[in-house]
Amino acid sequence: GSWINREVSVTADYLIVAGGGGGGKDSAGGGGAGGFITSFPGGSPACQVTLSNWCSPYSIVVGTGGAGRESPNSCNGTVGNDSSAIGVTAAGGGYGGRNPGVGGPGGSGGGGDYADAGGPGNDPPACSAYGAPQGNDGGPGGPAPESGGGGGGRGGAGQAGDSGPADAGGDGGIGLANLIAPAYPLGTVFAGGGGGTSGNGGGCGGTGGPGGGGRGGQHCGPTGNQALPGTDGLGGGGGGAPQAAGACYKAGDGGNGVVFLRYATACKTGCHAVTPPANTSATVGS
């Protein structure tokens, strides 16, 4: 007898979020959110992808968040790692800048240290056919006494550090809602930027952007107010940390990213499988 290789083509929508950037140390900026690229909603043929042989394995890479700095002082955070699937790549979030230093470039840019600019978002530029831009710029730091800017988010740029006597860190840029997986346990808002830290004036750290951004740290006592990490599975940026020793002055790590693929239930054939077991599938409507 003869054997026939029958390819199965499947059209899929996607949401790809990269790992968020880590916050910097020493009156520093918050980390930028991981890049956010999607074709959903819309269903445009220019944005959707066609998987030409659904029974072949497809590799998906979920980017981890960048490390937030703890020691030594005056260090940039670490850039987040890219997420990729089916030929589409989202760039990791930019690092939070340290004293002195600009924020790092990335999917969304990291916040700058005082008197320094935030990093550019959508770097490298995402193709417009793939839902560009993938993020926004980080906010600049304020002038003395040394507050840091917020990291950029997918829904908006990071805010500038406070320039007045409050000496507060800038808020992280807001994330963006997407309903590709409406029952996702972490919610439907992704890629919020990390908050910048307060400076020596004793102000508050900036709030993390909705969508997983971590709050910026602030000058604190023995039990103080640490910078918070970005949320894993949302690609949020980590909060920046002030200059001082001790555990409460570690900058927040960026949150890990996430990848979703959405296709017709009828295409979930016998050759479909999701591995490793930590990854999941679910049915939403048809």
Side-chain angles (χ1 to χ4, degrees):
S2 61
W3 178 80
I4 299 175
N5 178 21
R6 179 178 297 168
E7 291 190 349
V8 179
S9 295
V10 174
T11 299
D13 278 297
Y14 55 86
L15 169 61
I16 301 175
V17 181
K25 170 78 170 177
D26 186 356
S27 305
F36 169 121
I37 298 179
T38 188
S39 67
F40 186 90
S44 168
C47 293
Q48 290 179 316
V49 294
T50 299
L51 310 179
S52 60
N53 188 356
W54 186 228
C55 291
S56 295
Y58 285 87
S59 176
I60 295 174
V61 176
V62 177
T64 55
R69 292 295 188 178
E70 178 176 12
S71 181
N73 282 321
S74 300
C75 283
N76 293 325
T78 305
V79 66
N81 291 286
D82 298 351
S83 290
S84 62
I86 54 179
V88 181
T89 298
Y95 57 76
R98 49 88 173 177
N99 179 11
V102 300
S108 279
D113 190 4
Y114 84 99
D116 285 313
N122 195 34
D123 190 327
C127 175
S128 59
Y130 292 141
Q134 59 179 316
N136 288 284
D137 297 346
E146 309 179 1
S147 57
R154 177 58 179 86
Q159 300 302 298
D162 192 278
S163 60
D167 183 33
D171 294 341
I174 61 174
L176 191 66
N178 189 279
L179 295 176
I180 194 168
Y184 186 51
L186 298 179
T188 58
V189 180
F190 303 85
T197 188
S198 65
N200 294 326
C204 296
T207 60
R215 185 198 67 211
Q218 55 202 39
H219 282 277
C220 51
T223 61
N225 296 308
Q226 297 96 330
L228 297 182
T231 303
D232 287 342
L234 294 178
Q243 178 186 22
C248 62
Y249 297 102
K250 180 188 181 302
D253 298 336
N256 298 338
V258 66
V259 173
F260 297 95
L261 295 179
R262 179 169 169 144
Y263 51 88
T265 302
C267 299
K268 189 176 180 181
T269 63
C271 60
H272 172 278
V274 179
T275 58
N279 298 305
T280 61
S281 62
T283 301
V284 179
S286 60

CSV table of all heavy atoms in Angstrom, one decimal, residues 14-19 33-41 83 88-93 106-108 122 126-127 130-136 153-155 174-180 188-192 211 234-235 258 260:
chain,number,residue,atom,x,y,z
A,14,TYR,N,-2.5,34.9,18.6
A,14,TYR,CA,-1.5,34.8,19.7
A,14,TYR,C,-1.4,36.0,20.5
A,14,TYR,O,-1.8,37.1,20.1
A,14,TYR,CB,-0.1,34.5,19.0
A,14,TYR,CG,0.3,35.5,18.0
A,14,TYR,CD1,0.9,36.7,18.4
A,14,TYR,CD2,0.0,35.4,16.7
A,14,TYR,CE1,1.2,37.7,17.5
A,14,TYR,CE2,0.3,36.3,15.7
A,14,TYR,CZ,0.9,37.5,16.1
A,14,TYR,OH,1.2,38.5,15.2
A,15,LEU,N,-0.9,35.8,21.7
A,15,LEU,CA,-0.4,36.9,22.6
A,15,LEU,C,0.9,36.5,23.1
A,15,LEU,O,1.0,35.4,23.8
A,15,LEU,CB,-1.4,37.2,23.7
A,15,LEU,CG,-0.8,38.2,24.8
A,15,LEU,CD1,-0.5,39.5,24.2
A,15,LEU,CD2,-1.8,38.3,25.9
A,16,ILE,N,2.0,37.2,22.9
A,16,ILE,CA,3.3,36.9,23.3
A,16,ILE,C,3.8,38.0,24.2
A,16,ILE,O,3.9,39.2,23.7
A,16,ILE,CB,4.2,36.7,22.1
A,16,ILE,CG1,3.7,35.5,21.3
A,16,ILE,CG2,5.7,36.3,22.6
A,16,ILE,CD1,4.5,35.3,20.0
A,17,VAL,N,4.2,37.7,25.4
A,17,VAL,CA,4.7,38.7,26.4
A,17,VAL,C,6.1,38.3,26.9
A,17,VAL,O,6.2,37.1,27.3
A,17,VAL,CB,3.7,38.9,27.6
A,17,VAL,CG1,4.3,40.0,28.5
A,17,VAL,CG2,2.3,39.3,27.1
A,18,ALA,N,7.0,39.1,26.8
A,18,ALA,CA,8.4,38.8,27.2
A,18,ALA,C,8.6,39.1,28.7
A,18,ALA,O,7.7,39.6,29.4
A,18,ALA,CB,9.4,39.6,26.4
A,19,GLY,N,9.7,38.6,29.2
A,19,GLY,CA,10.1,38.9,30.6
A,19,GLY,C,10.3,40.4,30.8
A,19,GLY,O,10.9,41.1,30.0
A,33,ALA,N,8.4,46.9,31.3
A,33,ALA,CA,7.6,45.6,31.1
A,33,ALA,C,8.2,44.9,29.9
A,33,ALA,O,8.8,45.5,29.0
A,33,ALA,CB,6.2,46.0,30.8
A,34,GLY,N,7.9,43.6,29.8
A,34,GLY,CA,8.3,42.8,28.7
A,34,GLY,C,7.5,43.2,27.5
A,34,GLY,O,6.3,43.7,27.6
A,35,GLY,N,8.1,43.1,26.3
A,35,GLY,CA,7.3,43.4,25.1
A,35,GLY,C,6.0,42.6,24.9
A,35,GLY,O,6.0,41.4,25.4
A,36,PHE,N,5.0,43.2,24.3
A,36,PHE,CA,3.7,42.6,24.3
A,36,PHE,C,3.3,42.7,22.8
A,36,PHE,O,3.1,43.8,22.2
A,36,PHE,CB,2.8,43.5,25.2
A,36,PHE,CG,1.3,43.3,25.1
A,36,PHE,CD1,0.6,42.9,26.2
A,36,PHE,CD2,0.6,43.6,23.9
A,36,PHE,CE1,-0.8,42.8,26.2
A,36,PHE,CE2,-0.8,43.4,23.9
A,36,PHE,CZ,-1.5,43.1,25.0
A,37,ILE,N,3.1,41.5,22.1
A,37,ILE,CA,2.8,41.5,20.7
A,37,ILE,C,1.6,40.6,20.6
A,37,ILE,O,1.6,39.4,21.1
A,37,ILE,CB,3.9,41.0,19.9
A,37,ILE,CG1,5.1,42.0,20.0
A,37,ILE,CG2,3.5,40.9,18.4
A,37,ILE,CD1,6.4,41.5,19.2
A,38,THR,N,0.5,41.0,19.9
A,38,THR,CA,-0.7,40.2,19.8
A,38,THR,C,-1.4,40.4,18.4
A,38,THR,O,-1.2,41.5,17.8
A,38,THR,CB,-1.7,40.5,20.9
A,38,THR,OG1,-2.8,39.6,20.9
A,38,THR,CG2,-2.2,41.9,20.8
A,39,SER,N,-2.1,39.4,18.0
A,39,SER,CA,-3.0,39.5,16.8
A,39,SER,C,-4.5,39.5,17.3
A,39,SER,O,-5.4,39.5,16.4
A,39,SER,CB,-2.8,38.3,15.9
A,39,SER,OG,-3.2,37.1,16.5
A,40,PHE,N,-4.7,39.5,18.6
A,40,PHE,CA,-6.1,39.3,19.1
A,40,PHE,C,-6.5,40.5,19.9
A,40,PHE,O,-5.8,41.0,20.7
A,40,PHE,CB,-6.2,38.1,20.0
A,40,PHE,CG,-7.6,37.7,20.4
A,40,PHE,CD1,-8.3,36.9,19.7
A,40,PHE,CD2,-8.1,38.2,21.6
A,40,PHE,CE1,-9.6,36.5,20.1
A,40,PHE,CE2,-9.4,37.9,22.0
A,40,PHE,CZ,-10.1,37.1,21.2
A,41,PRO,N,-7.8,41.1,19.6
A,41,PRO,CA,-8.7,40.6,18.6
A,41,PRO,C,-8.4,41.2,17.3
A,41,PRO,O,-7.5,42.0,17.1
A,41,PRO,CB,-10.0,41.1,19.2
A,41,PRO,CG,-9.6,42.4,19.9
A,41,PRO,CD,-8.3,42.2,20.5
A,83,SER,N,10.5,36.5,24.6
A,83,SER,CA,9.6,35.4,24.4
A,83,SER,C,9.4,35.2,22.9
A,83,SER,O,9.3,36.2,22.2
A,83,SER,CB,8.3,35.6,25.1
A,83,SER,OG,8.4,35.5,26.5
A,88,VAL,N,7.3,34.7,15.8
A,88,VAL,CA,7.1,36.1,16.4
A,88,VAL,C,7.9,36.2,17.7
A,88,VAL,O,7.8,35.3,18.5
A,88,VAL,CB,5.6,36.3,16.6
A,88,VAL,CG1,5.4,37.7,17.2
A,88,VAL,CG2,4.8,36.1,15.3
A,89,THR,N,8.6,37.3,17.8
A,89,THR,CA,9.4,37.5,19.0
A,89,THR,C,9.1,38.8,19.7
A,89,THR,O,9.0,39.8,19.0
A,89,THR,CB,10.9,37.5,18.7
A,89,THR,OG1,11.3,36.2,18.2
A,89,THR,CG2,11.8,37.7,19.9
A,90,ALA,N,8.9,38.7,21.0
A,90,ALA,CA,8.7,39.9,21.8
A,90,ALA,C,9.9,40.2,22.6
A,90,ALA,O,10.5,39.2,23.2
A,90,ALA,CB,7.5,39.8,22.8
A,91,ALA,N,10.4,41.4,22.7
A,91,ALA,CA,11.7,41.8,23.3
A,91,ALA,C,11.5,41.9,24.8
A,91,ALA,O,10.5,42.5,25.3
A,91,ALA,CB,12.2,43.1,22.7
A,92,GLY,N,12.5,41.5,25.6
A,92,GLY,CA,12.5,41.6,27.0
A,92,GLY,C,12.5,43.1,27.4
A,92,GLY,O,12.9,44.0,26.7
A,93,GLY,N,12.0,43.4,28.6
A,93,GLY,CA,11.9,44.7,29.2
A,93,GLY,C,13.2,45.3,29.5
A,93,GLY,O,14.2,44.6,29.8
A,106,GLY,N,14.2,48.3,25.5
A,106,GLY,CA,13.6,47.0,25.5
A,106,GLY,C,12.2,47.0,24.9
A,106,GLY,O,11.8,48.0,24.3
A,107,GLY,N,11.4,45.9,25.2
A,107,GLY,CA,10.0,45.9,24.8
A,107,GLY,C,9.3,47.1,25.3
A,107,GLY,O,8.7,47.9,24.5
A,108,SER,N,9.4,47.4,26.6
A,108,SER,CA,9.2,48.7,27.2
A,108,SER,C,10.5,49.1,27.8
A,108,SER,O,11.2,48.3,28.4
A,108,SER,CB,8.0,48.7,28.2
A,108,SER,OG,6.8,48.7,27.5
A,122,ASN,N,9.6,49.7,22.6
A,122,ASN,CA,9.5,49.2,21.2
A,122,ASN,C,10.9,49.1,20.6
A,122,ASN,O,11.1,49.5,19.4
A,122,ASN,CB,8.6,50.0,20.4
A,122,ASN,CG,8.2,49.3,19.1
A,122,ASN,OD1,8.0,48.0,19.1
A,122,ASN,ND2,8.0,50.0,18.0
A,126,ALA,N,9.0,46.5,16.6
A,126,ALA,CA,8.2,45.3,16.1
A,126,ALA,C,7.5,45.7,14.8
A,126,ALA,O,7.1,46.8,14.6
A,126,ALA,CB,7.2,45.0,17.2
A,127,CYS,N,7.4,44.7,14.0
A,127,CYS,CA,6.7,44.8,12.7
A,127,CYS,C,5.2,45.2,12.9
A,127,CYS,O,4.6,44.6,13.8
A,127,CYS,CB,6.8,43.6,11.9
A,127,CYS,SG,5.9,43.6,10.3
A,130,TYR,N,2.5,42.7,13.2
A,130,TYR,CA,2.5,41.8,14.4
A,130,TYR,C,2.0,42.6,15.6
A,130,TYR,O,2.4,42.3,16.8
A,130,TYR,CB,3.8,41.2,14.7
A,130,TYR,CG,4.2,40.2,13.6
A,130,TYR,CD1,5.6,40.1,13.2
A,130,TYR,CD2,3.3,39.3,13.1
A,130,TYR,CE1,6.0,39.2,12.2
A,130,TYR,CE2,3.7,38.4,12.1
A,130,TYR,CZ,5.0,38.3,11.7
A,130,TYR,OH,5.4,37.4,10.7
A,131,GLY,N,1.2,43.6,15.5
A,131,GLY,CA,0.6,44.3,16.6
A,131,GLY,C,1.5,45.3,17.2
A,131,GLY,O,1.3,45.6,18.4
A,132,ALA,N,2.4,45.9,16.5
A,132,ALA,CA,3.3,46.9,17.1
A,132,ALA,C,2.5,48.1,17.4
A,132,ALA,O,1.4,48.4,16.9
A,132,ALA,CB,4.4,47.2,16.0
A,133,PRO,N,3.1,49.0,18.3
A,133,PRO,CA,4.4,48.8,19.0
A,133,PRO,C,4.2,47.9,20.1
A,133,PRO,O,3.1,47.6,20.6
A,133,PRO,CB,4.7,50.2,19.5
A,133,PRO,CG,3.3,50.8,19.8
A,133,PRO,CD,2.4,50.3,18.7
A,134,GLN,N,5.3,47.3,20.6
A,134,GLN,CA,5.3,46.3,21.7
A,134,GLN,C,5.4,46.9,23.0
A,134,GLN,O,5.3,46.2,24.0
A,134,GLN,CB,6.3,45.2,21.4
A,134,GLN,CG,7.8,45.7,21.4
A,134,GLN,CD,8.7,44.6,21.2
A,134,GLN,OE1,8.6,43.5,21.8
A,134,GLN,NE2,9.7,44.8,20.3
A,135,GLY,N,5.7,48.2,23.1
A,135,GLY,CA,5.8,48.8,24.5
A,135,GLY,C,6.1,50.3,24.4
A,135,GLY,O,6.1,50.9,23.3
A,136,ASN,N,6.3,50.9,25.5
A,136,ASN,CA,6.5,52.4,25.6
A,136,ASN,C,7.8,52.7,26.4
A,136,ASN,O,8.4,51.9,27.0
A,136,ASN,CB,5.3,53.0,26.3
A,136,ASN,CG,4.0,53.0,25.5
A,136,ASN,OD1,3.9,53.8,24.5
A,136,ASN,ND2,3.1,52.0,25.7
A,153,GLY,N,5.2,50.7,30.3
A,153,GLY,CA,4.3,49.6,30.2
A,153,GLY,C,3.7,49.5,28.8
A,153,GLY,O,3.9,50.5,28.0
A,154,ARG,N,3.0,48.4,28.5
A,154,ARG,CA,2.5,48.3,27.1
A,154,ARG,C,1.4,49.4,26.9
A,154,ARG,O,1.2,49.8,25.7
A,154,ARG,CB,1.9,46.9,26.9
A,154,ARG,CG,1.2,46.7,25.5
A,154,ARG,CD,2.2,47.0,24.4
A,154,ARG,NE,1.5,46.8,23.1
A,154,ARG,CZ,0.8,47.7,22.5
A,154,ARG,NH1,0.6,48.9,23.0
A,154,ARG,NH2,0.2,47.4,21.3
A,155,GLY,N,0.7,49.8,27.9
A,155,GLY,CA,-0.4,50.7,27.7
A,155,GLY,C,0.0,52.2,27.9
A,155,GLY,O,-0.8,53.1,27.6
A,174,ILE,N,1.2,51.9,32.7
A,174,ILE,CA,0.1,50.9,32.8
A,174,ILE,C,0.3,49.8,31.7
A,174,ILE,O,0.9,50.0,30.7
A,174,ILE,CB,-1.2,51.5,32.7
A,174,ILE,CG1,-1.4,52.2,31.3
A,174,ILE,CG2,-1.4,52.6,33.8
A,174,ILE,CD1,-2.8,52.8,31.1
A,175,GLY,N,-0.2,48.6,32.1
A,175,GLY,CA,-0.2,47.5,31.1
A,175,GLY,C,-1.4,47.7,30.1
A,175,GLY,O,-2.1,48.7,30.1
A,176,LEU,N,-1.7,46.6,29.4
A,176,LEU,CA,-2.8,46.6,28.5
A,176,LEU,C,-3.6,45.3,28.6
A,176,LEU,O,-3.1,44.2,28.8
A,176,LEU,CB,-2.2,46.7,27.0
A,176,LEU,CG,-3.2,47.0,25.9
A,176,LEU,CD1,-3.8,48.4,26.0
A,176,LEU,CD2,-2.5,46.8,24.6
A,177,ALA,N,-5.0,45.5,28.5
A,177,ALA,CA,-5.9,44.4,28.6
A,177,ALA,C,-5.9,43.6,27.3
A,177,ALA,O,-5.9,44.2,26.2
A,177,ALA,CB,-7.3,44.8,29.0
A,178,ASN,N,-6.1,42.3,27.4
A,178,ASN,CA,-6.3,41.4,26.3
A,178,ASN,C,-7.1,40.2,26.7
A,178,ASN,O,-6.8,39.6,27.7
A,178,ASN,CB,-4.9,41.0,25.7
A,178,ASN,CG,-5.1,40.3,24.3
A,178,ASN,OD1,-5.4,39.1,24.3
A,178,ASN,ND2,-4.9,41.1,23.3
A,179,LEU,N,-8.1,39.9,25.9
A,179,LEU,CA,-9.0,38.8,26.3
A,179,LEU,C,-8.8,37.5,25.5
A,179,LEU,O,-9.7,36.7,25.4
A,179,LEU,CB,-10.5,39.3,26.1
A,179,LEU,CG,-10.9,40.4,27.1
A,179,LEU,CD1,-12.4,40.9,26.7
A,179,LEU,CD2,-10.9,40.0,28.5
A,180,ILE,N,-7.6,37.3,25.1
A,180,ILE,CA,-7.3,36.1,24.3
A,180,ILE,C,-7.6,34.8,25.2
A,180,ILE,O,-7.9,33.8,24.8
A,180,ILE,CB,-5.9,36.1,23.8
A,180,ILE,CG1,-5.8,34.9,22.7
A,180,ILE,CG2,-4.9,36.0,24.9
A,180,ILE,CD1,-4.5,35.1,21.9
A,188,THR,N,-6.4,39.7,33.0
A,188,THR,CA,-6.4,39.9,31.6
A,188,THR,C,-5.6,41.2,31.2
A,188,THR,O,-5.7,41.7,30.1
A,188,THR,CB,-7.8,40.0,31.0
A,188,THR,OG1,-8.5,41.0,31.7
A,188,THR,CG2,-8.5,38.7,31.2
A,189,VAL,N,-4.9,41.7,32.2
A,189,VAL,CA,-4.0,42.9,31.9
A,189,VAL,C,-2.6,42.5,32.1
A,189,VAL,O,-2.2,41.9,33.1
A,189,VAL,CB,-4.3,44.1,32.9
A,189,VAL,CG1,-3.4,45.3,32.7
A,189,VAL,CG2,-5.8,44.5,32.8
A,190,PHE,N,-1.8,42.8,31.1
A,190,PHE,CA,-0.4,42.3,31.0
A,190,PHE,C,0.6,43.5,30.8
A,190,PHE,O,0.2,44.6,30.4
A,190,PHE,CB,-0.2,41.4,29.8
A,190,PHE,CG,-1.2,40.2,29.8
A,190,PHE,CD1,-2.4,40.3,29.3
A,190,PHE,CD2,-0.8,39.0,30.3
A,190,PHE,CE1,-3.3,39.2,29.3
A,190,PHE,CE2,-1.6,37.9,30.3
A,190,PHE,CZ,-2.9,38.0,29.8
A,191,ALA,N,1.8,43.2,31.2
A,191,ALA,CA,3.0,44.1,30.8
A,191,ALA,C,2.9,45.5,31.4
A,191,ALA,O,2.9,46.5,30.7
A,191,ALA,CB,3.1,44.2,29.3
A,192,GLY,N,2.8,45.6,32.8
A,192,GLY,CA,2.9,46.9,33.5
A,192,GLY,C,4.3,47.1,33.9
A,192,GLY,O,5.1,46.2,34.1
A,211,GLY,N,-1.0,45.4,35.6
A,211,GLY,CA,-0.5,44.4,34.6
A,211,GLY,C,0.8,43.8,35.1
A,211,GLY,O,1.7,43.4,34.3
A,234,LEU,N,2.9,37.7,33.8
A,234,LEU,CA,2.3,38.9,33.3
A,234,LEU,C,3.4,39.8,32.6
A,234,LEU,O,3.1,40.7,31.9
A,234,LEU,CB,1.6,39.7,34.4
A,234,LEU,CG,0.4,39.1,35.0
A,234,LEU,CD1,-0.2,40.0,36.1
A,234,LEU,CD2,-0.7,38.8,33.9
A,235,GLY,N,4.7,39.5,32.9
A,235,GLY,CA,5.8,40.2,32.2
A,235,GLY,C,6.0,41.6,32.8
A,235,GLY,O,6.4,42.5,32.1
A,258,VAL,N,4.7,35.3,29.2
A,258,VAL,CA,3.7,34.3,28.9
A,258,VAL,C,3.4,34.2,27.4
A,258,VAL,O,3.6,35.3,26.8
A,258,VAL,CB,2.4,34.5,29.7
A,258,VAL,CG1,1.8,35.8,29.3
A,258,VAL,CG2,1.5,33.4,29.7
A,260,PHE,N,0.4,32.8,24.7
A,260,PHE,CA,-0.9,32.2,24.4
A,260,PHE,C,-1.0,32.0,22.9
A,260,PHE,O,-0.7,32.8,22.1
A,260,PHE,CB,-2.1,33.1,24.8
A,260,PHE,CG,-2.1,33.4,26.3
A,260,PHE,CD1,-1.6,34.5,26.8
A,260,PHE,CD2,-2.8,32.5,27.1
A,260,PHE,CE1,-1.6,34.8,28.1
A,260,PHE,CE2,-2.8,32.8,28.5
A,260,PHE,CZ,-2.3,33.9,29.0
